């Protein structure tokens, strides 16, 4: 017999090399006997994220849009802007939080900031650094205790987001210990979700990080009996629970908690997730998480009691007060905003129009997992027909998604929504729940697909995968038809086409169970879609380095007193807040009783000022009049001859020349395109 043809030596060498690489990789990711990921898989990616974090903090790099202020004070290019462009719409970050943070640094990190009369509790709102004990539970703020401002700002910027990346990774490898590449790609891709990038604040990332940590901890506790493991997870979950609670942003917390509740109960009910037999014994195995949660609640209780006055003032405001939202509030516009991820790369150019009133409100998630409803349901039906144990993780995750959709689309069950706390969130903020659920669904799809291949040697049928793709294609068609009908310029670019194609391929890949391929696609189109939402910036634009602030501080030392900033632009407020000088301008988290007794002693305008809002002034004649151009805006009139000004105001800063008889000692400052004026109030 003739010898069989032999492959060329080069081809055989390539095959042998490839086989060795595959074999070594499989050995490298081989799970521990418990079925949990080995220490290499657990450590390697978080260590890489830590290295990047240290590098960014060391270089003082942030994604802050604080450079918006540079354009008001200079005509030259901003030397601190590394890449991208500052986004004015991110005013919660650059105008509010960053300005108050700089103010805290200027005042020496006090527990009460002394800009407003009576002070402002710096430990509750605006995520501010201070020397209060509670900062120990806000790790992103610890840098202000020992680092220069720019580096501390970098830690504050990156740590919450990077913590969410690591938490998501730990959750994914807990379920899929052989898939660290997929876990890393999906985690970083999720960080670049449009929703996170356009709502980039610590209060956005920490609830998601907490959700992934609780779910990961639940998986570990059901599979590991080591006390060191159990204590570690209890401590980590308890600590982050306090961090999330101190953020006090209930809409995101409720959204994350809904997903956690569904997944953890489903995990405990699903028989094949652990060798522990019986639902009661499984709950007992999860006891460390409960202990950590109880300890966290105790810490939060102390925190609340020691600043109850501030919290009471906040809850007693007209806006936001204790906001409750009705069920079924979804409109056509908000529906397409929910599905608008394919066009997210064009949001900045059109200011979010026509999907919402601004870019942040229009931002959403790439909902790959939600399109997997058919193959996931196929697994559930298949289990039922074969009389196999129910996959409660998948079933309850689907139920959680349906609850969210019911809250969005189905009116008339407000009492139930109130009892379950769902009415504390909003139709836009509850997207957080769907975003996390999407990641859970992607993980469960790969988990079930891998088990199917290992046990039966087959894959998910193509018809199920294509049904997911068809569902995705239908939503894209509806979205483009809606935007095309409105002649929306958001469709003018080409990036959204690339994102849409990759998005669709990712959905198809996960529908087939190709987790690594899908994860890499997820990472790529997420970066293309929203990497430009925030700039790359060195440090923070500190107004204390400007000539006008230096002059104002000199003036304040010579004649101490309070300031009022007058004008329609952001500079008077930003300058007065960042400088730390005593005044009546700034974004208040809760009204200062002393301040408003001075401004409005008769409480004539209590409805207008009793709110979380930005306090600003415009020139006028007569007594102070308050109005609300927007729910979070308080506009006051200023007359230097009024009783209020004559009694309480010493200095005035204005972005336009003022002609009032009770002002003197005018000083003019020309900073780039802006001209600013300071005055003394003549008494």
């Amino acid at each position: 017999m003739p010898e069989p043809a032999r492959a060329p030596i080069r081809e055989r060498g390539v095959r042998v090399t490839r086989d060795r690489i595959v074999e070594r990789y499989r050995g490298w990711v081989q799970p521990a006997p418990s079925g949990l990921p080995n220490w290499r898989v657990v450590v390697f990616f978080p260590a890489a994220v830590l290295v990047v974090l240290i590098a960014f903090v060391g270089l003082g790099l942030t994604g802050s849009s604080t450079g918006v202020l540079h354009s008001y004070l200079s005509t030259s290019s901003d030397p601190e802007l590394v890449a991208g462009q500052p986004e004015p719409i991110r005013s919660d970050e650059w105008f509010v939080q960053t300005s108050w943070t700089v103010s805290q640094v200027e005042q020496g990190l006090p527990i009460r900031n002394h800009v407003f009369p009576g002070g402002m509790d710096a430990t509750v709102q605006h995520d501010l650094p201070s020397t209060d004990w509670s900062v120990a539970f806000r790790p992103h703020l610890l840098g202000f205790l020992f680092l220069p401002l720019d580096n501390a700002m970098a830690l504050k910027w990156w740590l919450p987001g990077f913590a969410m990346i690591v938490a998501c990774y730990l959750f994914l490898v807990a379920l899929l210990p052989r898939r660290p590449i997929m876990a890393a790609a999906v985690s970083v891709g999720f960080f670049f979700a449009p929703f996170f990038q356009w709502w980039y604040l610590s209060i956005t990332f920490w609830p998601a990080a907490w959700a992934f940590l609780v779910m990961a901890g639940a998986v570990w506790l059901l599979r590991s009996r080591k006390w060191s493991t159990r204590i570690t997870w209890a401590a980590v979950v308890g600590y982050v629970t306090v961090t999330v609670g101190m953020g006090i942003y209930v809409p995101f917390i409720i959204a994350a908690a809904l997903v956690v509740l569904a997944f953890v109960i489903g995990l405990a009910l699903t028989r094949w997730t652990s060798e522990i037999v019986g639902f009661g014994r499984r709950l007992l195995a999860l006891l460390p998480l409960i202990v950590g949660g109880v300890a966290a609640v105790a810490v939060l209780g102390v925190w609340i009691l020691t600043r109850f006055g501030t919290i009471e003032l906040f809850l007693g405001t007209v806006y936001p007060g204790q906001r409750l939202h009705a069920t079924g509030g979804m409109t056509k516009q908000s529906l397409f905003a929910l599905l608008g991820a394919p066009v997210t790369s064009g949001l900045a150019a059109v200011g979010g129009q026509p999907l919402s009133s601004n870019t942040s409100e229009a931002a959403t998630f790439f909902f790959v997992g939600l399109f997997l409803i058919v193959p996931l349901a196929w697994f559930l039906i298949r289990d039922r027909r074969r009389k196999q144990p129910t996959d409660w993780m998948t079933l309850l995750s689907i139920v959680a998604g349906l609850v969210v959709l019911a809250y969005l689309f189905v009116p008339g069950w407000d009492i139930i929504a109130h009892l379950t706390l769902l009415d504390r969130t909003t139709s836009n903020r509850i997207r957080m729940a769907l975003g996390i659920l999407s990641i859970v669904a992607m993980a469960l799809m790969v988990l079930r697909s891998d088990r199917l291949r290992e046990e039966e040697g087959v894959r998910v049928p193509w018809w199920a995968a294509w049904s997911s793709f068809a569902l995705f294609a239908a939503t894209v068609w509806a979205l483009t038809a809606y935007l095309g009908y409105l002649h929306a310029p958001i469709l003018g670019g080409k990036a959204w086409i690339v994102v849409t194609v990759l998005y669709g391929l990712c959905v198809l890949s996960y529908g087939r169970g190709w987790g690594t391929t899908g994860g890499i696609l997820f990472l790529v189109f997420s970066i293309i879609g929203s990497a430009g939402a925030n700039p790359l910036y060195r440090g923070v634009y500190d107004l204390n380095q400007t000539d006008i602030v230096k002059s104002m501080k000199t003036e304040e030392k010579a004649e101490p007193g309070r300031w009022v900033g007058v004008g329609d632009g952001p500079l008077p407020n930003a300058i007065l807040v960042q400088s730390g000088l005593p005044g009546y301008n700034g974004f208040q988290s809760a009204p200062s009783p002393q301040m408003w007794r001075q401004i409005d002693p008769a409480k004539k305008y209590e409805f207008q000022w009793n709110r979380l809002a930005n306090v600003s002034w415009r020139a006028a004649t007569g007594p102070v009049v308050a109005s609300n151009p927007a729910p979070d805006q308080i506009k006051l009139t200023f007359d230097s001859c009024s009783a209020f000004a004559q009694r309480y105001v010493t200095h005035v800063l204005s972005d336009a020349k003022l002609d009032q008889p009770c002002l003197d000692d005018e000083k003019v400052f020309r900073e780039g395109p802006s001209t600013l004026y300071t005055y003394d109030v003549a008494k």
Side-chain angles (χ1 to χ4, degrees), residues 302-347:
V302 173
W303 180 74
I304 290 171
L305 288 174
T306 53
R307 58 221 73 219
F308 187 73
T310 300
I311 294 172
E312 194 174 32
L313 285 171
F314 174 74
L315 294 177
T317 55
V318 174
Y319 172 89
Q322 300 185 52
R323 284 187 293 180
L324 302 178
H325 297 269
T327 54
M330 180 69 81
T331 64
K332 180 187 289 186
Q333 183 189 48
S334 55
L335 168 62
F336 285 109
L338 179 70
L339 302 174
V343 297
T344 191
S345 59
L347 287 179

Side-chain angles (χ1 to χ4, degrees), residues 167 252 274 352 468 530 542:
F252 289 156
S274 171
S468 295
S530 57
D542 187 356

Side-chain angles (χ1 to χ4, degrees), residues 274-306:
S274 171
E275 295 180 356
I276 302 174
V277 179
F279 181 65
R281 292 184 62 195
R282 287 166 175 257
L283 288 180
L284 190 61
L286 297 177
L287 186 59
L289 291 182
I290 299 173
V291 172
V294 171
V297 170
V299 173
L300 287 170
V302 173
W303 180 74
I304 290 171
L305 288 174
T306 53

Side-chain angles (χ1 to χ4, degrees), residues 218-367:
V219 175
W220 275 79
L221 292 178
L222 285 178
R223 295 181 182 176
S224 174
R225 307 305 296 170
K226 293 181 180 179
W227 275 106
S228 59
T229 299
R230 306 176 72 74
I231 293 172
T232 298
W233 278 109
V236 170
V237 168
Y239 179 85
V240 177
T241 300
V242 177
T243 304
V244 172
M246 287 183 177
I248 68 169
Y249 197 72
V250 175
F252 289 156
I253 296 173
I254 294 297
L258 173 64
V259 181
V260 168
L261 186 66
F263 179 83
V264 172
I265 293 176
L267 179 72
L269 287 170
T270 304
R271 297 180 191 174
W272 47 265
T273 57
S274 171
E275 295 180 356
I276 302 174
V277 179
F279 181 65
R281 292 184 62 195
R282 287 166 175 257
L283 288 180
L284 190 61
L286 297 177
L287 186 59
L289 291 182
I290 299 173
V291 172
V294 171
V297 170
V299 173
L300 287 170
V302 173
W303 180 74
I304 290 171
L305 288 174
T306 53
R307 58 221 73 219
F308 187 73
T310 300
I311 294 172
E312 194 174 32
L313 285 171
F314 174 74
L315 294 177
T317 55
V318 174
Y319 172 89
Q322 300 185 52
R323 284 187 293 180
L324 302 178
H325 297 269
T327 54
M330 180 69 81
T331 64
K332 180 187 289 186
Q333 183 189 48
S334 55
L335 168 62
F336 285 109
L338 179 70
L339 302 174
V343 297
T344 191
S345 59
L347 287 179
V350 296
Q353 300 288 342
L355 296 177
S356 191
S357 58
N358 62 63
T359 316
S360 298
E361 295 287 349
T364 186
F365 289 92
F366 291 103
F367 295 119

Side-chain angles (χ1 to χ4, degrees), residues 194-218:
F195 188 90
F196 286 132
Q197 293 301 307
W198 285 106
W199 286 103
Y200 202 110
L201 294 170
S202 64
I203 59 172
T204 313
F205 284 110
W206 281 122
W210 172 83
F212 287 124
L213 284 173
V214 174
M215 293 187 291

